[in-house]
Amino acid sequence: MIIRVSPRPARSPQAAAPDDPHPLCQLPSACELALAQVTVAAHVAAWPACALGYRDGQAVHVTSRGDVMAGGLTTLFLRGDVMPGRGIDQILPHPGDPELREASADDARTYVRLAERASGPIPGPVGFCWPWGDALQVLDDLAPDVRVINLETSITRSGDFAPGKPAHYRMSPANLPCVAAIRPDACALANNHVLDFGHAGLTETLAALAAAGLPAAGAGRDAAQARQPVAIALRGGGRAVIFSCGTSSSGIPARWAATGTRPGVDFLPDLGEAAADNVIARVRAARQPGDIAVVSIHWGSNWGYGVDRDQVRFARRLIDGGVDLIHGHSSHHPRPVEIYRGKLILYGCGDCIDDYEGISGYEQYRDDLRLLYFASILPGTGELAGLRMVAMQVRKMRLHHARPADSQWLAMVLGQISRRYGSRIDLESGGALTLRP
């Protein structure tokens, strides 16, 4: 069985609150609506005969003469760790129980105070859209066809703390509009926090998402449901088929694996050939002609720019087997990007929404900087036409456009760590990072 999602309907204009620049939300302060302008020396190189461009908010083919070719592209918005629990939950309109059982904190509001110490007071309660900030306008401007996030929290009122976990993430079900604000088409749940409050918490999470009309993959009441992909119908025909799975290297306990009789996540026991072939077989069984197959994987450590060899082999084997895009996440900062046989591999998308602001340590990785990934895929082949990455910075638990110098730093670092994979990162005059085949 596959969870099917209809094509995204056209959004009708809505009246905005007087102090709300975005029609979907009420925000306590105005958004910065323009991308930062930056002048950067460009690489001088011959562009391919067919490049990526945008017309009327849609990705299109553009020839070297500037002609727009017939047939649009499918653009996917991909994000790493979306963690609206714990401290984020406490600033939203309906905060849940703040109790924590961490070595250094017993109250989730501790993380709010840390963020305020770093960036200043946070007005509370904030609107549901507050954490997304300027990202909402970016999404409206680029209008992706499909939106995929790694939703990394338990959505529950349960107080059943999972044993052996150093940190637990919990968001009140009444705050779920915060997730719905970006209209995700698929929420990947195979991660190391979705069962932070046990099977009861997972059951409530799945029920809350279903009631809100937010399709999920990677977790379920049993193994069959946990392995079900989400299929999103595309306007030009075909579907985007999203699978979600995770490994122990990201912190997922093996006991969280769903079985025939036990709720849990789609857990990969290892990254060997047999595990890859099992995923490939499921992708082949689900996909239809014209589909784009995406495997969203929660893997790897939190810090460091290196990619384990088994991750590289696993990702490439999936591509060899017919997968079109690898959406990796777990690291708190971006990791290398690769184009393998024309297909995109994101080894680690980094954090997006969380309550880490003000926590000291690992400052050299600049985890206050975040990237929004927009991958445009060629119809029919599943090959990458272009990847655009919009740099953001978190301040007061809210995403803002990154400053020009920070965008330049991200482009430099991502370019350096991706070079060994044959990838070149450019910085556009408008501040966006780009990767082109």
Side-chain angles (χ1 to χ4, degrees):
M1 179 176 149
I2 300 175
I3 302 171
R4 292 178 172 82
V5 182
S6 300
R8 182 184 302 283
R11 199 165 43 83
S12 58
Q14 302 179 39
D19 61 346
D20 178 11
H22 194 278
L24 289 179
C25 317
Q26 291 187 4
L27 296 177
S29 63
C31 292
E32 303 169 15
L33 298 179
L35 285 170
Q37 296 299 311
V38 57
T39 302
V40 180
H43 294 285
V44 178
W47 288 102
C50 180
L52 175 66
Y54 286 84
R55 183 176 69 176
D56 298 329
Q58 298 299 313
V60 293
H61 291 84
V62 181
T63 69
S64 57
R65 298 190 304 272
D67 300 324
V68 177
M69 297 172 61
L73 304 174
T74 296
T75 298
L76 289 80
F77 167 64
L78 302 154
R79 264 312 313 154
D81 301 350
V82 174
M83 307 180 72
R86 207 170 65 175
I88 297 292
D89 182 63
Q90 294 303 304
I91 67 172
L92 293 173
H94 306 293
D97 186 345
E99 180 188 2
L100 296 178
R101 296 181 183 177
E102 300 175 6
S104 57
D106 59 6
D107 191 307
R109 290 167 291 193
T110 299
Y111 292 93
V112 180
R113 291 192 291 270
L114 285 171
E116 290 183 322
R117 187 182 304 168
S119 302
I122 299 171
V126 300
F128 290 118
C129 292
W130 173 270
W132 299 104
D134 294 343
L136 291 170
Q137 191 63 48
V138 174
L139 282 163
D140 278 358
D141 290 344
L142 296 183
D145 302 286
V146 178
R147 307 180 183 206
V148 182
I149 64 172
N150 169 49
L151 181 57
E152 199 165 351
T153 188
S154 184
I155 305 168
T156 181
R157 298 178 181 84
S158 172
D160 182 18
F161 286 77
K165 292 293 302 298
H168 297 79
Y169 282 81
R170 172 176 51 181
M171 181 177 76
S172 167
N175 282 332
L176 193 53
C178 176
V179 177
I182 60 160
R183 310 194 304 279
D185 294 294
C187 300
L189 299 183
N191 56 58
N192 60 311
H193 286 296
V194 73
L195 271 104
D196 276 356
F197 289 84
H199 293 156
L202 175 60
T203 299
E204 191 173 2
T205 298
L206 295 171
L209 291 171
L214 300 176
R221 61 181 175 273
D222 53 30
Q225 186 182 30
R227 292 173 180 169
Q228 290 175 8
V230 172
I232 302 107
L234 303 174
R235 287 174 298 178
R239 307 169 303 167
V241 184
I242 316 298
F243 294 80
S244 169
C245 52
T247 73
S248 61
S249 63
S250 69
I252 301 176
R255 65 181 180 275
W256 284 13
T259 69
T261 58
R262 184 181 66 197
V265 301
D266 186 3
F267 180 77
L268 300 175
D270 55 52
L271 293 176
E273 292 183 359
D277 291 344
N278 178 275
V279 175
I280 290 168
R282 288 191 272 140
V283 170
R284 290 176 175 174
R287 74 178 306 161
Q288 300 171 3
D291 285 353
I292 297 171
V294 178
V295 176
S296 184
I297 312 178
H298 203 61
W299 59 3
S301 61
N302 288 335
W303 304 102
Y305 293 123
V307 179
D308 292 345
R309 292 180 181 178
D310 60 347
Q311 293 179 22
V312 175
R313 286 193 295 264
F314 190 85
R316 291 177 177 177
R317 190 173 183 89
L318 292 188
I319 298 294
D320 290 337
V323 174
D324 297 309
L325 192 155
I326 305 298
H327 172 221
H329 37 81
S330 179
S331 58
H332 290 323
H333 54 82
R335 282 199 167 126
V337 297
E338 178 181 18
I339 301 175
Y340 174 71
R341 297 183 62 183
K343 308 294 181 72
L344 177 64
I345 302 174
L346 300 171
Y347 285 108
C349 292
D351 292 334
C352 184
I353 299 296
D354 58 36
D355 60 0
Y356 296 159
E357 187 178 0
I359 300 176
S360 60
Y362 300 98
E363 284 85 358
Q364 68 269 31
Y365 293 106
R366 292 296 309 273
D367 70 322
D368 60 312
L369 301 180
R370 316 290 164 88
L371 286 175
L372 309 178
Y373 295 79
F374 296 86
S376 293
I377 308 300
L378 289 164
T381 68
E383 294 183 350
L384 182 72
L387 174 67
R388 175 175 288 191
M389 296 160 281
V390 179
M392 313 296 288
Q393 183 181 41
V394 64
R395 296 192 301 275
K396 298 185 179 182
M397 292 184 164
R398 183 168 179 260
L399 293 178
H400 300 259
H401 291 301
R403 300 179 179 93
D406 291 330
S407 296
Q408 188 172 2
W409 184 88
L410 271 174
M412 178 192 68
V413 171
L414 191 58
Q416 288 177 348
I417 65 177
S418 300
R419 189 176 300 140
R420 65 174 297 183
Y421 300 95
S423 299
R424 190 188 78 178
I425 306 299
D426 291 314
L427 186 61
E428 295 181 344
S429 60
L433 287 66
T434 58
L435 166 71
R436 301 183 192 273

